[in-house]
Structure formats: C-alpha cells, structure tokens
Amino acid sequence: MKVGVAACPHWGAHNSVKRIVLAVGLALACVSSLAAAKVGSEALIEARQASMKQMAAAAKTLAGMFNGQVPYNAAAFRDAAETLRDRTGSLVGEFPSGSLGPLSGAKPEIDQDRRSFEALAHHIATLTTALAKEAANAPPKINGEMRMGPGTMMDGGSLLGKRTNAAEPDPATLPAEHLVHMILQDCTGCHSRFRQKIR
Ligand code: HEC
C-alpha cells in the first residue's frame, strides 16, 4: 500500500477516482444481486405454477376416468396418481417468504399461517401417496373396489363437513375414487384460503 502511494504523484486524484469506481462497483453489485433475487423468485413462481398446472391436468384425468369423461387406462391412471404424489410432495418448499404477494397468486397469508398451509400440504400429500399406492396395482378395468359405494359421500362425513371431530379414516382403506374426491377438496380448501386471483 505504502509503496503504491509513494510511487504515485497524484495519489489524491487517483484515490477519488478509485472511490468512485468502488462506489459504482458496489452499486452495480447491489443492483445485480437484487436482480438475481428477483429473477430467482420469478423462476420459482413460474416453476410452482407449472407444477400446479401439472397437478390440475392429473386431477382432471383421474376425476374424468371415474365419471366417464376420460377413457380409463391403468397406465395413465398410475401416471396421473404419481404426478399428484410427486407434485404435492414438494409443495411445502415452494412458497418461501420472498415469493408471496402481488407478484403471484400466492397470498402473503401463507407466511402468517405457515402451520395451516403446511398442514394442508401434508394432508393432500398423505392422500396422494395412498392413491399412488393403490394405483400401482390398478386393474385393466375400473372395478368395484376402486369405486366409492353409494352413499359414501353421506357416510364419509368429512366431505360434507359433518363429524368434523371424528378421526379421519385411514386413506389406505379408502377406494381410489373417494381419495380423488378428497384430494380435489384439499385443492379447493387451500386455494380458498391461500390463493388470490392474478389474471
Ligand atoms: C397447500 C396449498 C395448495 C394446495 C393443496 C393446492 N394448491 Fe394450487 N395453488 C396454491 C397457491 C398458493 C397457488 C398460487 C401460486 C402462484 O401463483 O405462485 C396455486 C395455484 C394453482 C393453479 C394456477 C397455476 C398458474 O398457472 O398460475 C392451479 C391450476 C392449481 N393451483 C391447481 C391445483 C390443484 C389441481 C390442486 C390439487 C390437486 C392444488 N392446486 C392444490 C396452493 C395450493
């Protein structure tokens, strides 16, 4: 350092230039790290929206197979169930604080009530895991075991909001069609609470 100063006759002038260069450099570094953060959260938002769209397509396929609007096929049934399982399994990590609010359809309330958000994410993941397990042995044609019996909705209670305090049945014991209904309810449940319309 001393050598540099001694060797430079116009040290003062150089020093202020250096300072400006340093300041500009710092400012640029700041701007670019802000930009990087913004690009980072934009990418994350786009990725989770794409993931939600995949879930929507999978859920539509499954519901369609049960109501006859989509031809049933064991492999496609399995694929859709696995997509739901995989996508719901990573939900929790996709909504960090900096990515909520007006930039996206994710409400800032997620941050204020992480427990409920995570409980919902965990609940749907439990159902989709059970569904994927059942789908692994999907028969060549939809059979009675996969179907919700008549009156299941009424007896199921949880679907109509009755017996809310009763313990939920073990998802592994529920027919696939019932699981699909419960999964769709969780989609709606989370959206009504934590999603806002953006477009
Ligand atoms: C735990 C909460 C939660 C669950 C469960 C959930 N979602 Fe979402 N979903 C959100 C939030 C929050 C957004 C807004 C995301 C954003 O814009 O960044 C969203 C957005 C979406 C979108 C719009 C994506 C876009 O392109 O903007 C679709 C479609 C969607 N969800 C479908 C589903 C389906 C189908 C399910 C059930 C299988 C489901 N979601 C389950 C919270 C949830």
Side-chain angles (χ1 to χ4, degrees):
M1 202 38 161
K2 263 192 181 155
V3 175
V5 172
C8 183
H10 305 292
W11 186 77
H14 278 244
N15 192 37
S16 61
V17 167
K18 264 196 211 155
R19 267 200 217 139
I20 290 167
V21 168
L22 189 68
V24 169
L26 274 177
L28 281 178
C30 265
V31 167
S32 69
S33 74
L34 275 179
K38 183 148 189 275
V39 168
S41 71
E42 267 168 18
L44 186 132
I45 290 167
E46 271 169 27
R48 78 184 171 213
Q49 289 173 341
S51 172
M52 287 283 175
K53 283 204 188 91
Q54 282 181 31
M55 288 206 283
K60 202 174 161 193
T61 299
L62 293 167
M65 284 181 185
F66 282 115
N67 68 26
Q69 282 175 354
V70 175
Y72 173 83
N73 156 334
F77 187 84
R78 205 161 44 229
D79 280 354
E82 283 172 4
T83 298
L84 281 186
R85 179 200 58 201
D86 295 346
R87 302 286 92 235
T88 52
S90 59
L91 254 179
V92 164
E94 293 172 352
F95 294 86
S97 314
S99 72
L100 311 175
L103 270 183
S104 85
K107 283 192 183 171
E109 277 80 350
I110 292 173
D111 231 8
Q112 289 140 31
D113 197 358
R114 288 258 166 217
R115 270 166 151 245
S116 307
F117 185 81
E118 286 174 11
L120 269 160
H122 181 72
H123 190 257
I124 196 171
T126 307
L127 298 175
T128 57
T129 301
L131 181 67
K133 258 196 201 127
E134 291 179 19
N137 303 312
K141 286 192 168 157
I142 292 190
N143 63 20
E145 243 175 80
M146 296 167 76
R147 291 267 178 208
M148 230 161 26
T152 312
M153 297 279 279
M154 306 297 284
D155 300 337
S158 64
L159 291 178
L160 292 176
K162 284 186 209 153
R163 276 175 48 195
T164 41
N165 293 326
E168 223 175 62
D170 176 0
T173 66
L174 297 173
E177 188 178 13
H178 195 161
L179 287 172
V180 170
H181 277 270
M182 290 174 76
I183 288 165
L184 290 173
Q185 271 206 323
D186 277 357
C187 310
T188 316
C190 187
H191 291 163
S192 66
R193 203 149 158 200
F194 293 115
R195 181 183 170 195
Q196 60 200 358
K197 280 270 170 263
I198 37 165
R199 51 184 120 86

